[in-house]
């Protein structure tokens, strides 16, 4: 089957950073920046859940939103977290010194927030990018609300919301069956304690559940991934990013007997070939949401 022989999470997350840079909703990001500025320049306690390889830290630092305080990176993948910590400290070292410290934590996102709230270590800003579809939304929002200080911000960018598109399509019936099964698999996921995850409708679920958690929606907007060929190929390492997304579909559905028998293997091979030929267009609909704790 075409595509890379091996897949690596750190490489995928680094490649994804360029796609995220283009996708992030500028209006929501500006609202985050204004919210942080309104905190008056005091040392901030920031918690990032699912920190990946540190791309969000880079964006915030480059924008001048981080100057002093503590930035805690939480992720269950120790390899990604090691890269995130290395990258963040390299940025701090090259900046000539700041009063900002980086604290990497290997662990579960919701459990970490619950522990911080119980200990009274409240955050000014909590960030969870491309993560909420993997969490139980009410449980997560409750934990985040408890872990935020009054006036604190909850920033939830790149939250999947129900649409995946690959073009061009040769077999529309098979393509529809693949993505229907892929999205249903998202909805069937459960958290370690057996609760349903946000799944394919995580983004819109946030909009209804945030007020139920005692938070206010400060800003929201679309942050779609839109990847298309440029000059017969893809910029930076985006081709690898596309191969990795196709492999996600394969790993999710390879044991689905109905889709497999309908031609999943051929569908996946064809999509990998489209990447190699510089033909594949990929769109995923997502939302950026910023919430605020009253007070």
């Amino acid at each position: 089957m075409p595509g890379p022989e091996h897949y690596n999470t750190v490489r995928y997350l680094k490649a994804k950073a360029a796609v995220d840079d283009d996708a992030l909703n500028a209006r929501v990001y500006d609202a985050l920046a204004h919210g942080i500025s309104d905190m008056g320049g005091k040392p901030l306690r920031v918690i990032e859940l699912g920190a990946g390889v540190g791309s969000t830290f880079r964006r915030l630092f480059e924008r001048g939103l981080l100057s002093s305080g503590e930035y805690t990176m939480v992720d269950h993948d120790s390899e990604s977290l090691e890269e995130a910590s290395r990258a963040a400290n390299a940025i701090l070292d090259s900046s000539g010194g700041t009063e900002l410290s980086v604290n990497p934590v290997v662990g579960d996102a919701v459990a970490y927030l619950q522990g911080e709230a119980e200990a009274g270590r409240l955050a000014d800003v909590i960030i969870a990018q491309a993560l909420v579809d993997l969490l139980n939304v009410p449980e997560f929002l409750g934990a985040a609300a408890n872990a935020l200080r009054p006036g604190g911000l909850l920033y939830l960018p790149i939250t999947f919301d129900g649409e995946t598109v690959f073009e061009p399509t040769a077999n529309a019936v098979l393509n529809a069956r693949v993505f229907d099964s892929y999205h249903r698999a998202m909805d069937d996921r459960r958290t370690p304690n057996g609760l349903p995850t946000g799944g394919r409708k995580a983004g819109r679920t946030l909009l209804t559940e945030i007020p139920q958690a005692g938070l206010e929606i400060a800003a929201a907007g679309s942050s779609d991934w839109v990847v298309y060929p440029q000059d017969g190929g893809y910029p930076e390492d985006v081709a690898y990013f596309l191969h990795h997304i196709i492999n996600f579909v394969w790993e999710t559905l390879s044991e689905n007997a109905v889709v497999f028998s309908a031609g999943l293997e051929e569908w996946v091979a064809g999509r990998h070939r489209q990447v190699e030929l510089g033909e594949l267009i990929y769109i995923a609909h997502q939302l950026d949401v910023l919430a605020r704790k009253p007070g």
Side-chain angles (χ1 to χ4, degrees), residues 15-198:
K16 186 174 81 73
V19 183
D20 288 341
D21 285 340
D22 291 337
L24 288 165
N25 188 285
R27 183 174 57 82
V28 178
Y29 199 80
D30 285 345
L32 171 69
H34 289 311
I36 291 175
S37 296
D38 289 343
M39 292 178 184
K42 70 180 184 69
L44 295 178
R45 183 152 196 266
V46 181
I47 298 173
E48 184 185 359
L49 309 167
V53 293
S55 302
T56 298
F57 178 90
R58 168 184 58 79
R59 294 186 192 99
L60 293 171
F61 192 86
E62 289 175 351
R63 178 103 180 223
L65 301 180
L66 300 175
S67 57
S68 62
E70 178 186 273
Y71 194 102
T72 299
M73 297 176 167
V74 182
D75 204 295
H76 67 85
D77 182 61
S78 59
E79 183 180 4
S80 298
L81 194 62
E82 182 178 347
E83 174 61 25
S85 180
R86 184 205 62 77
N89 282 299
I91 290 171
L92 294 178
D93 290 343
S94 65
S95 71
T98 69
E99 297 179 10
L100 182 67
S101 63
V102 174
N103 177 34
V105 176
V106 177
D108 175 80
V110 172
Y112 181 80
L113 292 181
Q114 291 170 339
E116 294 300 281
E118 290 172 3
R121 295 188 292 266
L122 303 184
D124 297 289
V125 182
I126 296 173
I127 301 169
Q129 176 170 311
L131 183 65
V132 178
D133 61 307
L134 302 175
L135 306 175
N136 178 265
V137 178
E139 180 185 50
F140 162 67
L141 290 175
N146 289 337
L148 275 174
R149 69 162 180 80
L153 298 171
L154 176 62
Y155 179 49
L156 306 170
I158 315 291
T159 302
F160 186 74
D161 192 57
E163 187 74 17
T164 307
V165 176
F166 283 178
E167 293 290 348
T169 294
N171 185 333
V173 173
L174 174 60
N175 197 68
R177 185 173 296 176
V178 167
F179 282 120
D180 181 61
S181 298
Y182 182 58
H183 291 150
R184 277 193 282 112
M186 291 183 183
D187 293 339
D188 289 342
R189 285 187 303 226
R190 294 293 181 268
T191 65
N193 58 347
L195 297 175
T197 65

